Amino acid sequence: MGIRSFFLKKLAEHYGLIDALKRIDASFKLGESTEIAIPKEIAAISVDVASRGLLNMFAIQCNLDWVLPYWVQRQYDEAGTSYVPGTVLSINLTHRNWTAIGALDSEREPIVDPTGLLTPWYDSWSTDFWVGKKGYLVVPSKNQEVYQYLVKQLPIVVSQFVKKDLRIRTKVFVHKHEGRQIISNSISVENLDTQNVSVSIFVNIRPYNPEGISLVHRIEYDEERNIFSVDGNDGLFLLDKPDRVYCSNQDDGDTSWEAFSDRGRTAVSCKHGLASAFAEYRLDLEAGEVKEIEVRATAAPAPSRTVDRTLIDILPYQEIKRRVITEWEHRLAKSIRIRLPYQKMQNTFNGNKAHLYLFIDGTSITPGPYTYHHQWFRDDAYMLTALDKMGFHAETERILKAYPERQRPDGYFMSQEGEWDSNGQALWTYYEHYRYTRNRGFLEDIYDSAYAGFHWIKRKRVKKNGLLPPGYSAEHFGPNDTFYWDNFWALAGCKSFLAIAAELEKSKAVEEVRREIDDYEKAIFSSIEKTQHKYPFPLIPSSPNRDIDSSIVGAIVALYPLRLLEPRDDRLTGTLHVLRKNYQQKQAFFHRVIHSGYNVYLTLQIAECYLFRRSTRLHPILQWLMDTITGTGSFPEAIHPVTGGGCMGDGHHGWACAELLHLIRNFLFFEEEGGLVITPLVYHRWMEAGELIEVADAPSHFGTIAFIIEAKSDRIILSLDNHYSSQPEYIEFSIPFFMSRAFVDGTEIEVSRSGSCRFTPAAREVIVYR
């Protein structure tokens, strides 16, 4: 027994928790025996979630007469569809939705919930706006009709709704000034009545965020500096002097109770951590008049009186907003540009491109601004290749060059212990970056790291079956097991290293890796073959040891993105059939292992498989995604089947963001073997007369792709302006109806009955007739 286990057992004995400890131990042993029962990082996240749920349970259930965040208002409404009994733990299971904001090149992203609640610091208190009118308090979190959107599809979030003849709008974004991130948060109130009216705007500090309670023990208002400090840090900077300030604690009750009184208090302490405060602004509004209040905050805690107040006030709101928009548009201008006949998809693509860039944190990229603000090689594989597809090669390379620092001396790329897919993912991502950039110097820089990563895979394989040992892998697969997902990634990583070694003319390494790949492929596919007697048709289970469950979705990685199997492989056909019949609802993939919701990025991966298979089963999935995405273009990790809100993971999920970009880009064109495939499954309505599709400055394995598709009444014109670094063997172009004739640069070519044609990469203009 190790020291940690000894003390854990003693602690359990002291508190009478021996039976609980046995149940926890048994849960870890439900899977295959492995060297790491559960990664300590996952254990830490689980303990954090449980402790937060316990705090929420006591703090929320005993204070339901307070103004609480949107998810609590919905989840505790026993008459609503979001109701969840508040037993044992209280966790946001119904509306885990938020949107990240931030400045360029920042490492922290504040978050905004669906009603405009702003959490400025990581896992911190929040600021909210209320409006008082004639003794009625208008509270955004109690309104279900709040509409949100992004300004110019950038990380500038607007939230608005109408109540009591008032249009209430908040707008929040982050700018950087002299190295410090500063949040600008404004509220405007418009009088929609025909009569003049007096209102109060309340700027609040609240001891919670979209995950639940965030302890606040001390709030002070500094009248001289016009600042609220929160637990010894400069918290909220007021730009105008308020008419009244009131602070409260749990003993005195919620500040909302004093909204229409004249009580004032400029400082408060709360031993329970439920301190709150507001600044009141009293306004007179004529009929149709709009007035606005702005507050600012730093995007990270700073000890009181260490922030130069002039840095906060120096620029007016409109000037800051103009600069933020200009800076973002300038940075994004170097990326892929597309033009679609579907405005929502166009906006979704542009907004997610900006947010993918926002998730870059220096030499890492994280799959979420809050719950998942941590680096994983698994998420990186999808997010970094999406960055490369968008054209952000320098940023991707900066992150990849930091990979050797995250690699153990034995060659293991470790984001958390006990996960065996990470080495394959790191090697595959190395080579994918090279395929988009053809930067030989990059390969030379990472070669030793890649070689060590390959050797770790080679050593880690179990002699008995030739596969990687049982491991925890991605949490959505459930208990420890020998997952084909891990082995597919490892095999793809070996193949990627083979390509790296071949590019660098490392002949000895090439021969070694070829032998390893041959042996590894035989081990994987013979293992799969041994499982086939259990099923009525060919398919790929998640593990040789598991019955069929929704974790079978991991097997499709063999097609997307790894291309280890042909799209029409019988085993993939069977796997997709099982997924469609058993686990797809309303076109979305409903995952029953851990996530218990419509998983967005796994749904997108299924959609990619149908795209590669040229199957129109893709179309309803893509439409579900467009119908489900939030007004700010974000997705949570998993979606509640009844509430439509997030039920698991980060409320703005970076992996889902990346997958959406992959799919829309691949919907327009993708690489396949040696060819370039253009619009393989384009919508019929996109080819109606007068419609236009455009792709410009688009990175690919072959170089930079640019084309325009113009639809006329009797023909479709494809104009190409590609610049190749490695010329494709052919170009395939498809339209969603029968082609009668086709001409390439004036010369007629053959067309297929399926509505596609192939031609040489030198083509500049293709005309196909309906």
Side-chain angles (χ1 to χ4, degrees), residues 98-327:
W98 45 83
T99 304
I101 58 173
L104 286 165
D105 306 318
S106 62
E107 295 191 11
R108 285 293 183 190
E109 296 82 40
I111 59 174
V112 183
D113 94 335
T115 61
L117 182 79
L118 165 69
T119 305
W121 307 338
Y122 178 73
D123 194 17
S124 75
W125 54 276
S126 299
T127 182
D128 201 5
F129 292 112
W130 308 331
V131 177
K133 178 186 177 184
K134 296 180 179 179
Y136 185 90
L137 193 62
V138 179
V139 176
S141 64
K142 294 184 178 181
N143 286 273
Q144 298 185 24
E145 302 302 323
V146 178
Y147 171 61
Q148 282 190 321
Y149 62 92
L150 301 178
V151 174
K152 292 183 173 288
Q153 306 312 311
L154 300 172
I156 303 172
V157 177
V158 177
S159 311
Q160 69 176 26
F161 65 100
V162 173
K163 188 79 172 182
K164 294 292 181 180
D165 291 322
L166 299 172
R167 178 180 286 115
I168 298 167
R169 178 186 290 117
T170 65
K171 186 180 298 179
V172 59
F173 57 88
V174 184
H175 73 285
K176 190 175 284 187
H177 189 67
E178 294 191 9
R180 191 180 292 276
Q181 287 190 79
I182 300 169
I183 307 167
S184 291
N185 194 9
S186 71
I187 177 172
S188 65
V189 180
E190 180 181 1
N191 180 15
L192 301 178
D193 202 344
T194 57
Q195 304 294 320
N196 297 348
V197 68
S198 295
V199 302
S200 287
I201 295 178
F202 298 92
V203 179
N204 297 277
I205 292 175
R206 308 298 294 166
Y208 51 64
N209 58 47
E211 285 271 33
I213 298 299
S214 181
L215 299 175
V216 176
H217 292 94
R218 177 75 180 168
I219 300 177
E220 297 178 78
Y221 172 65
D222 184 335
E223 186 173 2
E224 178 188 353
R225 299 179 72 220
N226 205 21
I227 293 174
F228 279 110
S229 66
V230 181
D231 287 334
N233 294 297
D234 283 338
L236 207 56
F237 296 77
L238 309 179
L239 269 63
D240 299 297
K241 286 287 186 181
D243 294 291
R244 180 168 67 112
V245 167
Y246 179 71
C247 303
S248 189
N249 56 25
Q250 187 188 34
D251 293 337
D252 290 333
D254 194 21
T255 52
S256 63
W257 302 353
E258 300 295 333
F260 299 104
S261 76
D262 290 322
R263 290 186 64 189
R265 181 191 290 166
T266 58
V268 73
S269 294
C270 184
K271 63 183 179 181
H272 304 291
L274 295 179
S276 59
F278 67 62
E280 180 185 7
Y281 294 88
R282 295 167 184 162
L283 307 174
D284 295 319
L285 295 173
E286 295 180 2
E289 186 178 10
V290 181
K291 287 189 177 179
E292 187 171 29
I293 294 294
E294 185 194 358
V295 298
R296 296 179 184 174
T298 56
S304 293
R305 296 187 172 274
T306 61
V307 179
D308 184 352
R309 174 75 207 217
T310 60
L311 293 180
I312 303 296
D313 298 342
I314 194 167
L315 294 174
Y317 174 81
Q318 291 299 336
E319 175 64 15
I320 294 172
K321 179 184 168 186
R322 185 190 65 79
R323 289 190 180 189
V324 167
I325 291 173
T326 300
E327 288 169 359

Side-chain angles (χ1 to χ4, degrees), residues 277-568:
F278 67 62
E280 180 185 7
Y281 294 88
R282 295 167 184 162
L283 307 174
D284 295 319
L285 295 173
E286 295 180 2
E289 186 178 10
V290 181
K291 287 189 177 179
E292 187 171 29
I293 294 294
E294 185 194 358
V295 298
R296 296 179 184 174
T298 56
S304 293
R305 296 187 172 274
T306 61
V307 179
D308 184 352
R309 174 75 207 217
T310 60
L311 293 180
I312 303 296
D313 298 342
I314 194 167
L315 294 174
Y317 174 81
Q318 291 299 336
E319 175 64 15
I320 294 172
K321 179 184 168 186
R322 185 190 65 79
R323 289 190 180 189
V324 167
I325 291 173
T326 300
E327 288 169 359
W328 271 101
E329 289 182 338
H330 177 75
R331 186 67 63 89
L332 297 174
K334 67 177 183 178
S335 63
I336 181 177
R337 300 188 309 282
I338 67 171
R339 181 178 171 186
L340 304 177
Y342 186 179
Q343 192 60 50
K344 186 169 186 178
M345 189 180 291
Q346 176 81 63
N347 292 344
T348 296
F349 184 85
N350 291 340
N352 276 272
K353 183 170 61 170
H355 271 118
L356 179 69
Y357 196 94
L358 181 63
F359 288 131
I360 300 172
D361 291 344
T363 56
S364 66
I365 190 167
T366 61
Y370 188 10
T371 312
Y372 292 155
H373 204 269
H374 178 76
Q375 185 267 340
W376 282 277
F377 292 104
R378 179 182 309 116
D379 301 68
D380 279 14
Y382 294 92
M383 296 181 73
L384 293 181
T385 50
L387 276 179
D388 267 329
K389 282 181 179 175
M390 296 304 103
F392 300 120
H393 304 311
E395 292 83 351
T396 304
E397 189 159 308
R398 181 177 71 237
I399 295 167
L400 289 174
K401 283 188 173 180
Y403 269 26
E405 299 170 14
R406 299 186 175 98
Q407 191 175 18
R408 292 195 322 202
D410 65 353
Y412 179 38
F413 288 95
M414 190 183 81
S415 48
Q416 58 191 39
E417 295 178 326
E419 294 188 329
W420 310 139
D421 53 349
S422 58
N423 271 50
Q425 287 150 358
L427 297 179
W428 181 81
T429 310
Y430 273 159
Y431 184 59
E432 281 299 296
H433 175 65
Y434 171 74
R435 297 179 83 181
Y436 287 104
T437 62
R438 300 295 165 178
N439 181 359
R440 185 181 173 89
F442 167 75
L443 289 188
E444 292 170 346
D445 289 341
I446 56 86
Y447 179 78
D448 290 343
S449 166
Y451 197 15
F454 160 73
H455 268 279
W456 181 90
I457 294 172
K458 184 177 179 180
R459 291 192 304 271
K460 199 69 179 177
R461 290 174 58 205
V462 177
K463 291 183 179 178
K464 181 179 179 181
N465 60 15
L467 304 178
L468 293 175
Y472 185 74
S473 197
E475 87 281 345
H476 58 269
F477 295 146
N480 295 317
D481 214 325
T482 302
F483 293 109
Y484 289 125
W485 161 279
D486 293 342
N487 288 278
F488 283 143
W489 273 110
L491 176 61
C494 291
K495 290 190 171 187
S496 293
F497 178 66
L498 173 63
I500 291 170
E503 287 285 345
L504 297 179
E505 300 176 339
K506 306 285 187 179
S507 56
K508 289 185 179 179
V510 166
E511 290 305 313
E512 177 188 7
V513 181
R514 279 179 177 159
R515 290 193 298 272
E516 183 70 12
I517 288 172
D518 288 344
D519 183 66
Y520 202 178
E521 282 186 317
K522 290 175 184 175
I524 293 172
F525 291 108
S526 65
S527 174
I528 293 172
E529 181 62 31
K530 290 175 184 176
T531 69
Q532 299 303 288
H533 69 279
K534 297 187 287 186
Y535 314 118
F537 46 78
L539 56 81
I540 306 174
S542 59
S543 159
N545 310 307
R546 291 268 284 274
D547 291 330
I548 295 299
D549 58 46
S550 61
S551 67
I552 194 175
V553 72
I556 66 175
V557 74
L559 174 54
Y560 171 80
L562 301 182
R563 294 286 199 159
L564 296 173
L565 294 175
E566 292 298 317
R568 293 287 177 179

Side-chain angles (χ1 to χ4, degrees), residues 576-699:
L576 289 168
H577 175 80
V578 170
L579 290 171
R580 185 173 67 254
K581 292 296 184 182
N582 296 353
Y583 306 112
Q584 277 184 254
Q585 302 173 11
K586 301 177 183 177
Q587 304 304 326
F589 171 68
F590 189 88
H591 199 15
R592 301 180 184 276
V593 180
I594 305 294
H595 291 200
S596 300
Y598 299 131
N599 182 281
V600 177
Y601 59 83
L602 296 176
T603 298
L604 283 155
Q605 290 175 11
I606 292 171
E608 292 275 11
C609 290
Y610 286 128
L611 179 62
F612 290 167
R613 289 165 67 89
R614 314 299 200 274
S615 169
T616 54
R617 292 187 188 277
L618 162 72
H619 289 157
I621 299 176
L622 188 51
Q623 194 57 53
W624 176 84
L625 290 159
M626 291 298 100
D627 292 342
T628 307
I629 200 164
T630 68
T632 57
S634 65
F635 272 124
E637 182 169 21
I639 295 173
H640 194 291
V642 176
T643 70
C647 64
M648 189 268 179
D650 211 301
H652 191 165
H653 201 256
W655 185 348
C657 167
E659 290 286 21
L660 197 61
L661 293 170
H662 281 298
L663 181 60
I664 295 175
R665 181 268 199 184
N666 290 349
F667 191 61
L668 297 172
F669 78 93
F670 62 77
E671 306 89 336
E672 185 170 69
E673 297 176 341
L676 176 67
V677 180
I678 295 177
T679 59
L681 282 173
V682 68
Y683 290 119
H684 194 287
R685 64 182 181 271
W686 288 16
M687 293 291 182
E688 292 177 355
E691 299 292 6
L692 183 142
I693 301 169
E694 182 175 6
V695 172
D697 294 330

